[in-house]
């Protein structure tokens, strides 16, 4: 994706996008744990205070590791695809145990084995909200400090065809984003990472979409497996 300057109102980005506090650091969306080497040359960055910036790390590691374990059907680091996750689970036995405990095996009617996973919901919701706040500020120049009105976190395979099509397709709002915002620039500048409303940060790892008309909506997908949607009504 291209690094786009912010031509929007600078007053909108003069505070931590998570808590309204000081702008001590730059928060990356997403953080590296969700991406593989080589990293994309540019990632969205937004102002953040140090406490918020550091405060998401444990949740992000849990979510990134959990997704990889579910996709591969195991917590065994030797079998996982993503090096970063394998290393994290080797280093952090308690994290591996936490994910292993979320795994249930059951017998199917046909006598086969089926694995189901029961994640802790809160880390997923915190990570989704963090990213939604980053993208709302970065793309739309519309930081959202309040609690969202709607939030969904779900594996893509659990959506039926209609839900999936709805999720993948940007709503046809007919309203253009704020002049100067990055979302506006993506409409008028050819950005190879921008397709059908989605911004691709890294293939197979992370993509997101923002819509700022009527309400503020952010959607994202991790590892083409886990989807989230966060909406602030206005
Ligand atoms: Zn903060």
């Amino acid at each position: 994706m291209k690094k786009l300057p912010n031509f929007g109102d600078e007053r909108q980005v003069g505070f931590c996008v998570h808590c309204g506090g000081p702008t001590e650091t730059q928060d990356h969306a997403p953080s590296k744990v969700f991406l593989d080497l080589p990293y994309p040359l540019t990632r969205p960055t937004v102002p953040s205070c140090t406490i918020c910036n550091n405060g998401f790390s444990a949740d992000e590691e849990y979510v990134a590791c959990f997704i990889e374990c579910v996709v591969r059907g195991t917590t065994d680091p030797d079998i996982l695809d993503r090096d970063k996750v394998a290393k994290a689970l080797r280093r952090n036995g308690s994290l591996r145990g936490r994910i292993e405990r979320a795994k249930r095996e059951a017998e199917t009617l046909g006598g086969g084995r089926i694995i189901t996973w029961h994640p802790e919901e809160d880390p997923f919701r915190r990570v989704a909200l963090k990213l939604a706040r980053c993208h709302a500020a970065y793309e739309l120049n519309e930081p959202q400090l309040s609690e969202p009105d709607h939030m969904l976190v779900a594996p893509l395979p659990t959506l039926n065809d209609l839900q999936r099509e709805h999720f993948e397709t940007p709503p046809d709002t007919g309203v253009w984003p704020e002049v100067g915002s990055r979302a506006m620039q993506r409409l008028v500048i050819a950005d190879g990472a921008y397709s059908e409303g989605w911004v691709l940060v890294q293939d197979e790892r992370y993509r997101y979409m923002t819509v700022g008309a009527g309400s503020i909506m952010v959607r994202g997908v991790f590892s083409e497996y886990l989807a989230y949607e966060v909406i602030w009504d206005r």
Side-chain angles (χ1 to χ4, degrees):
M1 63 183 287
K2 286 186 177 162
K3 187 88 183 167
L4 299 175
N6 177 26
F7 294 124
D9 189 339
E10 287 295 331
R11 283 172 300 183
Q12 297 281 50
V13 290
F15 49 84
C16 169
V17 301
H18 304 294
C19 74
T23 59
E24 296 156 333
T25 61
Q26 289 288 315
D27 196 4
H28 289 76
S31 62
K32 284 182 180 170
V33 74
F34 292 107
L35 304 173
D36 294 330
L37 290 167
Y39 297 123
L41 293 176
T42 59
R43 272 182 298 158
T45 56
V46 289
S48 168
C49 73
T50 310
I51 292 173
C52 287
N53 200 346
N54 296 336
F56 295 106
S57 305
D59 284 337
E60 288 171 327
E61 187 169 62
Y62 173 81
V63 168
C65 291
F66 200 101
I67 290 169
E68 175 67 2
C69 290
V70 172
V71 169
R72 300 295 297 166
T74 180
T75 63
D76 182 348
D78 293 335
I79 298 176
L80 298 175
D81 267 347
R82 297 196 56 212
D83 275 354
K84 192 168 296 176
V85 170
K87 275 185 195 147
L89 293 181
R90 282 195 191 99
R91 186 185 70 237
N92 189 341
S94 71
L95 177 60
R96 185 179 171 187
R98 207 170 137 202
I99 297 174
E100 188 65 37
R101 282 192 296 280
K103 182 177 145 196
R104 315 268 156 77
E105 283 191 60
E107 204 158 301
T108 64
L109 289 174
R113 306 290 292 174
I114 185 171
I115 300 175
T116 57
W117 301 81
H118 304 262
E120 299 162 30
E121 270 185 40
D122 286 350
F124 281 85
R125 296 179 71 84
R126 286 192 290 262
V127 168
L129 180 55
K130 171 215 156 135
L131 284 164
R133 285 190 164 129
C134 288
H135 297 320
Y138 184 86
E139 293 290 328
L140 304 173
N141 223 32
E142 301 246 24
Q144 302 294 313
L145 294 174
S146 59
E147 286 300 304
D149 297 284
H150 165 88
M151 186 186 300
L152 167 88
V153 182
L156 277 180
T158 65
L159 305 184
N160 65 32
D161 288 351
L162 207 64
Q163 291 168 323
R164 179 68 187 261
E165 192 187 332
H166 174 79
F167 181 81
E168 295 288 353
T169 311
D172 184 10
T173 59
V175 178
W176 285 48
E178 183 197 6
V179 175
S181 70
R182 291 184 176 91
M184 181 71 176
Q185 294 178 59
R186 290 194 203 284
L187 285 178
V188 295
I189 300 171
D191 184 343
Y194 182 84
S195 167
E196 299 291 328
W198 288 93
V199 178
L200 182 66
V201 176
Q202 187 172 58
D203 201 23
E204 299 289 317
R205 286 293 159 258
Y206 187 67
R207 60 188 167 106
Y208 66 90
M209 171 198 291
T210 58
V211 177
S215 46
I216 301 281
M217 183 187 76
V218 180
R219 290 176 182 155
V221 179
F222 300 98
S223 290
E224 290 306 313
Y225 175 76
L226 192 84
Y228 73 84
E229 179 182 81
V230 179
I231 295 175
W232 288 269
D233 294 330
R234 289 195 290 193

